[in-house]
Amino acid sequence: MAISALQKARAQYSPKLPSSIASGNVKIKEGAATQSVADQDEIKKLFPNTYGMPIVTFENGGGCGKASMPAFNVGVILSGGQAPGGHNVISGIFDGLKSINKDCKLYGFLGGPSGLVDHKYIELTSAIIDEYRNTGGFDIIGSGRTKLEEVEQFDKGIEICNKLGIKALIIIGGDDSNTNACVLAEYYLQKKAGIQVIGCPKTIDGDLKNEMIETSFGFDTATKVYSEVIGNIQRDANSAKKYWHFIKLMGRSASHVTLECALQTQPNITLVGEEVEAKNQTLDDIVNYIAGIVANRAAKGMNFGTLLVPEGLIEFIPAIKKLISELNDMLAANQAEFDKYENVDQKIKFIVDHLSKENAAIFESLPTAVSKQLALERDPHGNVQVSLIETEQLLAEMVSKKLAAWKKEGKFVGKFSTQHHFFGYEGRCAAPSNFDADYCYSLGQVAAQLIASGKTGYMSSVRNTTKPADQWLAGGIPITAMMNMEKRNGKMKPVIQKALVKLDGGPFTFFASKRDEWANNTCYIYPGPIQYFGPSEVCDQTTKTLQLEHK
Ligand code: FBP
């Protein structure tokens, strides 16, 4: 296979590890029992075997993780959207297992969770692993969004694990996939199947985090890639001074990606979904806010600017959120009847006829592109596919109309020409930054140690990440400790609580203190591309989000 010079040089990179793991002589320390973040009684009832387990940390010295352990086999699954660093998690698992016993084997299930159910797998040999070290993408085994939730699927998993002598599965995924990992761990314990299940926190969205999981992997690299391009666009905007650039950024629900990119680039306008919800804003409020800033800049002769909008914005507008919630319940109750209609207009009519009067009116008032998306396209977890809603274009059109009206009233004197961009897929398979390369490799090594320590229902955890890697703290967090009950497809379900942007947290507070200055002036920062080689202060920078959260 032909490879680039960077890939060749990057293959030689040795990821940095927490000193406890690097010592090769790991001792496990158990902390106090945990409880779920909310709804303790319900979660305890649903997870009698995996509820209340202690947080564990790894330290230098002691017994487990030594080469004297008998060899065992492990299966790994990549689940959901791609995120930079997935290959390093797998190489970390591989090296971790080999350091425990060189005869341990690692199998990769192909194409996501469906590989486990359909018994599609490969053995990951050192030749394969070496080809993928420090590279972006999930192509080593592929990923998928099949939901593991049926007992039949779990039992198919037992069949293949028994056939391959697999004693543990590692599921690398976001909040939904790790929730399913925990359900699987609980089921395998109940059935005494002898198969452990460990999760790893992945998603560029950055919304799988809590006190013990400081960040999900991929967020660091993806936001650096987007910030590089936003910076380039800003330099173009500031050179030509003739366009407003409306830029939508991935992040299905939470606005972490958008906020981080704003902190790195200082655009003129940044919308944060969580704030829109807290302030009970309507689409019209948002349009007025944007148009006001465009008009102010135009009055000072600046007919250009940049705006960042999170792809999940629509779902945070309270009126639309209520509508989606009723829509989800209604569709869950009437799915069979709804599915009979093939024609889009008939489906939309069905929805309007079955919604409350208030929500039907809101649904009908939405631009057609948005109402169609809300009605038709869901992922296997029931989420609205916000990456398909062209919010950046919708906002630009609405602002343009508003400004035309203001022009007639003499409230706007200037020009308003827009360019639209959507950044998401561009960053999900980038070569991992040093942070993600190190963090992911460590998560993989930690997962191997959790298995060697007999743990199940845990998520691999690496903390203290704003410090140099040798000071990182390695361990495991019971997944049930992150859970609460939420409504999914019309039913209450145990799920990992999503981390939304905290409006009283460090990153948002800093942004809010600066945004007026950034709106009224041109304070752009041009971060440039990720640096893989060079001084540590350039190459090993963590995200601003992590820095401000841990100040
Ligand atoms: P995960 O939560 O699975 O990591 O995926 C997140 C994400 O990248 C979102 O940012 C985006 O909305 C979505 O995936 C796009 O999904 P798809 O890859 O199926 O188009």
Side-chain angles (χ1 to χ4, degrees):
M1 186 169 62
I3 60 168
S4 70
L6 175 67
Q7 199 176 328
K8 207 166 168 188
R10 213 45 198 157
Q12 305 306 318
Y13 178 75
S14 294
K16 302 185 270 303
L17 278 172
S19 59
S20 58
I21 300 293
S23 73
N25 186 16
V26 181
K27 185 171 88 179
I28 191 164
K29 194 174 153 207
E30 305 218 335
T34 55
Q35 50 174 356
S36 58
V37 280
D39 309 313
Q40 288 83 10
D41 292 343
E42 286 101 318
I43 306 282
K44 193 173 180 179
K45 219 180 276 166
L46 291 165
F47 295 90
N49 295 288
T50 48
Y51 188 86
M53 300 185 298
I55 287 175
V56 299
T57 44
F58 292 117
E59 295 178 351
N60 285 347
C64 87
K66 287 213 177 129
S68 56
M69 243 190 116
F72 55 90
N73 298 342
V74 169
V76 62
I77 298 170
L78 288 164
S79 180
Q82 284 67 249
H87 290 159
N88 271 30
V89 180
I90 295 180
S91 57
I93 298 168
F94 183 84
D95 292 351
L97 293 178
K98 295 290 178 189
S99 75
I100 291 162
N101 186 316
K102 66 173 178 28
D103 294 325
C104 287
K105 281 188 189 161
L106 180 62
Y107 290 95
F109 287 99
L110 301 176
S114 63
L116 179 75
V117 179
D118 300 337
H119 299 183
K120 299 221 164 90
Y121 62 88
I122 52 166
E123 187 189 335
L124 292 164
T125 59
S126 63
I128 298 175
I129 295 285
D130 285 349
E131 222 180 283
Y132 288 92
R133 289 181 192 273
N134 307 310
T135 58
F138 277 8
D139 42 325
I140 188 169
I141 48 173
S143 185
R145 290 200 184 274
T146 299
K147 209 173 155 156
L148 282 182
E149 57 176 359
E150 307 292 337
V151 163
E152 295 74 37
Q153 295 174 310
F154 301 167
D155 290 340
K156 291 293 264 176
I158 297 180
E159 259 175 46
I160 188 67
C161 288
N162 286 344
K163 183 176 157 206
L164 298 174
I166 288 177
K167 93 166 201 146
L169 290 170
I170 299 175
I171 300 184
I172 303 172
D175 52 341
D176 286 328
S177 309
N178 274 286
T179 296
N180 295 342
C182 194
V183 173
L184 198 60
E186 178 68 31
Y187 180 78
Y188 286 168
L189 276 175
Q190 272 170 24
K191 277 212 110 177
K192 300 192 174 27
I195 305 167
Q196 299 157 240
V197 186
I198 299 294
C200 275
K202 171 237 68 170
T203 176
I204 62 153
D205 293 2
D207 56 7
L208 172 46
K209 64 175 172 182
N210 47 55
E211 269 177 36
M212 306 309 286
I213 302 291
E214 293 182 352
T215 186
S216 56
F217 79 76
F219 178 70
D220 185 272
T221 311
T223 52
K224 282 174 178 154
V225 171
Y226 306 144
S227 297
E228 177 204 349
V229 191
I230 294 165
N232 295 348
I233 287 175
Q234 295 196 142
R235 207 148 214 167
D236 196 292
N238 200 20
S239 305
K241 302 196 192 297
K242 64 175 182 183
Y243 292 126
W244 265 89
H245 291 267
F246 278 48
I247 304 166
K248 182 177 78 164
L249 291 157
M250 256 192 187
R252 186 177 44 228
S253 183
S255 309
H256 299 293
V257 171
T258 296
L259 182 56
E260 172 62 27
C261 292
L263 293 168
Q264 288 192 35
T265 61
Q266 304 190 174
N268 302 108
I269 304 175
T270 303
L271 303 173
V272 173
E274 290 81 344
E275 185 183 30
V276 166
E277 179 172 26
K279 290 187 170 167
N280 207 5
Q281 288 177 328
T282 61
L283 201 49
D284 198 45
D285 293 333
I286 297 168
V287 171
N288 270 321
Y289 171 68
I290 301 169
I293 293 176
V294 173
N296 279 345
R297 285 180 67 83
K300 292 196 242 165
M302 294 185 286
N303 288 302
F304 67 95
T306 48
L307 171 144
L308 305 188
V309 51
E311 66 172 356
L313 181 81
I314 291 287
E315 284 191 289
F316 278 107
I317 297 173
I320 300 182
K321 190 172 186 172
K322 263 192 235 148
L323 159 67
I324 293 174
S325 165
E326 191 191 330
L327 189 61
N328 286 349
D329 291 356
M330 187 278 284
L331 287 177
N334 299 285
Q335 198 65 53
E337 207 184 329
F338 179 74
D339 288 344
K340 279 188 206 147
Y341 296 104
E342 279 179 12
N343 177 302
V344 176
D345 294 331
Q346 285 175 328
K347 283 187 184 247
I348 291 202
K349 181 171 180 318
F350 180 90
I351 287 173
V352 172
D353 290 348
H354 286 76
L355 285 176
S356 64
K357 230 174 158 188
E358 189 194 354
N359 279 332
I362 292 171
F363 186 78
E364 287 187 297
S365 74
L366 290 173
T368 330
V370 177
S371 54
K372 273 191 185 163
Q373 280 306 328
L374 296 188
L376 304 180
E377 306 271 356
R378 296 297 161 101
D379 76 5
H381 296 273
N383 302 307
V384 174
Q385 287 190 281
V386 283
S387 62
L388 300 176
I389 301 179
E390 291 171 338
T391 327
E392 71 286 15
Q393 296 218 22
L394 170 75
L395 288 176
E397 276 162 32
M398 294 178 87
V399 169
S400 182
K401 276 191 197 145
K402 177 77 57 180
L403 290 169
W406 285 2
K407 204 164 215 170
K408 283 189 192 144
E409 296 164 25
K411 280 164 53 185
F412 172 59
V413 280
K415 289 192 206 120
F416 181 63
S417 303
T418 55
Q419 296 288 347
H420 314 134
H421 316 266
F422 167 39
F423 299 137
Y425 299 100
E426 294 81 350
R428 297 201 312 183
C429 282
S433 60
N434 278 0
F435 176 85
D436 271 328
D438 299 345
Y439 183 58
C440 290
Y441 187 72
S442 302
L443 286 172
Q445 287 258 2
V446 171
Q449 291 299 339
L450 286 168
I451 295 167
S453 311
K455 298 295 172 197
T456 188
Y458 275 76
M459 191 182 287
S460 174
S461 146
V462 172
R463 292 181 293 128
N464 213 23
T465 51
T466 48
K467 295 278 175 350
D470 60 343
Q471 294 170 40
W472 290 357
L473 303 172
I477 315 298
I479 299 177
T480 51
M482 304 171 203
M483 285 190 169
N484 67 171
M485 300 295 291
E486 285 176 26
K487 205 174 208 179
R488 294 286 164 95
N489 290 331
K491 285 192 194 126
M492 291 308 281
K493 290 260 164 104
V495 291
I496 293 178
Q497 196 175 57
K498 224 182 236 314
L500 300 178
V501 167
K502 287 189 181 144
L503 300 183
D504 58 356
F508 184 84
T509 314
F510 179 80
F511 155 75
S513 72
K514 296 283 178 192
R515 65 174 145 192
D516 289 346
E517 193 189 329
W518 298 350
N520 294 318
N521 304 292
T522 301
C523 309
Y524 302 150
I525 290 180
Y526 315 115
I530 295 177
Q531 298 297 309
Y532 296 96
F533 300 99
S536 180
E537 66 274 18
V538 179
C539 300
D540 296 330
Q541 280 279 339
T542 59
T543 56
K544 304 264 179 217
T545 302
L546 260 183
Q547 287 164 27
L548 290 162
E549 278 173 351
H550 294 268
K551 218 170 166 182

